[in-house]
Amino acid sequence: MTLDDVADELYGLDPGEFVEARTAQVTAARESKDRALATEIGKLRKPTVVGWLVNLLARELPDEVGALLTLGDALRDAQRHLSGPDLRRLNTQRQQVVRALARKAGELAAERGRTVGEDALRDVGQTLHAALADADTAEQVRRGRVVTAASYSGFGPAGLTVVQGKTATKPPKSEPASRPPADKPKKSQERDLDAERAAAEAELADATAGADEIRGALDDANTELGQARSTLTEIDHRIENLRAELEHAEQERQFTRNAEKASAEAVHRGERELEAAERRVEEARRTLDDLG
């Protein structure tokens, strides 16, 4: 048993099962006299729901996640080579793939009986975006060992800030850009400007996509609210109608109970009268017999 084996097992579990399973693995390592392994296992952090969702994607859809991370390599290469058209094309692909994978994460959770909210799915998307920009985060995603949500600011390695939980890893401040030499070729300057414009467009696309996602979530919430209110109104009407029916039924029940009581008395009275009539018939028969 190695630390990798244990980590692979633990980060494939539901967060609610993680602590108990980790404790069992620590105990097993101690019983095997491997105190160093027990200590390392004890340091493994419990994943958040977002971390669990990303790990689900890595384990259930490794090809799709791998393709996304390969796209991140292409994006970084396009930025290094100042390829504006490539940046725009790859950025569009990035947005589409990340949104599709975030939705798939919600579906995978539902298959396991867990319902996750839109906030969690947005954090899944942000974590995948961070993996595209940061190699360490990409490796965590690829291995399915994400602990908590990650986010990023800027575009590509030069502007990256990956944040996991409350710990931020920021790149060192770059030296102020020097002015281009006076004799720098015009095409080179245009290429630099094209790359900067592409990066700015990518930032705008990110911000627009985020706003669109939030707007879409708000629209969905408003739709659900309207449906809930409509359903509540229908239920209130049904309750009102049922109460009216119940009141009518209670009145019918009381009327029928009175009728039943009257009928019971009539039957009882009829039985007494029949009994008296039968006695009279019997007496008349005996009188007739006596007269011969």
Side-chain angles (χ1 to χ4, degrees):
M1 180 174 64
T2 66
L3 182 61
D4 278 342
D5 294 333
V6 175
D8 282 339
E9 177 184 343
L10 293 180
Y11 286 109
L13 299 175
D14 184 281
E17 303 171 353
F18 184 89
V19 174
E20 183 178 356
R22 181 183 61 189
T23 301
Q25 292 288 4
V26 169
T27 300
R30 287 175 177 169
E31 291 176 350
S32 298
K33 309 300 182 183
D34 194 338
R35 293 186 176 275
L37 178 59
T39 300
E40 291 303 314
I41 294 173
K43 292 179 180 178
L44 296 176
R45 294 171 55 198
K46 174 183 174 181
T48 63
V49 172
V50 173
W52 173 66
L53 289 171
V54 176
N55 294 339
L56 268 183
L57 288 173
R59 294 164 190 272
E60 297 296 327
L61 302 172
D63 293 339
E64 289 86 339
V65 171
L68 175 66
L69 298 178
T70 300
L71 180 62
D73 294 336
L75 277 165
R76 289 191 293 272
D77 185 68
Q79 188 187 38
R80 282 193 297 269
H81 290 84
L82 305 176
S83 176
D86 285 346
L87 275 172
R88 286 188 287 271
R89 175 177 55 81
L90 294 172
N91 182 66
T92 299
Q93 294 180 14
R94 171 173 62 119
Q95 295 290 349
Q96 294 172 345
V97 175
V98 166
R99 282 196 294 267
L101 284 174
R103 288 194 300 270
K104 189 61 181 178
E107 295 173 5
L108 290 173
E111 291 173 3
R112 287 157 178 76
R114 293 284 296 268
T115 300
V116 295
E118 290 296 326
D119 288 345
L121 297 184
R122 278 196 295 273
D123 286 344
V124 169
Q126 286 297 320
T127 302
L128 294 176
H129 281 307
L132 289 173
D134 177 63
D136 290 339
T137 305
E139 184 62 19
Q140 292 178 13
V141 171
R142 183 179 287 108
R143 300 178 71 180
R145 297 187 187 177
V146 176
V147 175
T148 187
S151 60
Y152 78 102
S153 62
F155 180 79
L160 175 67
T161 299
V162 174
V163 181
Q164 295 178 339
K166 297 182 178 180
T167 303
T169 304
K170 298 185 178 180
K173 293 182 179 179
S174 59
E175 294 296 327
S178 58
R179 294 175 179 265
D183 59 348
K184 188 173 183 180
K186 183 176 180 181
K187 288 186 177 180
S188 177
Q189 295 180 24
E190 291 177 350
R191 189 165 58 249
D192 290 350
L193 181 60
D194 189 43
E196 292 176 5
R197 184 181 296 109
E201 290 176 353
E203 287 289 353
L204 176 60
D206 279 350
T208 302
D212 287 343
E213 288 180 8
I214 294 173
R215 189 177 295 108
L218 178 60
D219 289 342
D220 290 343
N222 279 324
T223 299
E224 292 178 1
L225 176 60
Q227 292 175 345
R229 285 176 172 171
S230 176
T231 301
L232 181 61
T233 299
E234 291 178 2
I235 293 174
D236 287 340
H237 288 163
R238 286 173 54 198
I239 291 175
E240 185 178 351
N241 291 335
L242 288 172
R243 283 175 176 163
E245 291 181 13
L246 177 61
E247 183 178 356
H248 182 67
E250 289 284 358
Q251 293 174 350
E252 288 187 347
R253 182 172 181 271
Q254 186 62 42
F255 177 79
T256 304
R257 174 177 289 178
N258 293 338
E260 182 263 347
K261 182 178 179 181
S263 297
E265 292 176 352
V267 168
H268 186 60
R269 185 169 57 252
E271 288 174 346
R272 292 198 305 271
E273 292 176 352
L274 177 59
E275 183 179 351
E278 288 176 345
R279 286 199 302 268
R280 182 180 176 188
V281 169
E282 185 62 27
E283 290 175 356
R285 183 177 290 114
R286 284 200 301 269
T287 301
L288 184 61
D289 290 343
D290 290 343
L291 293 175

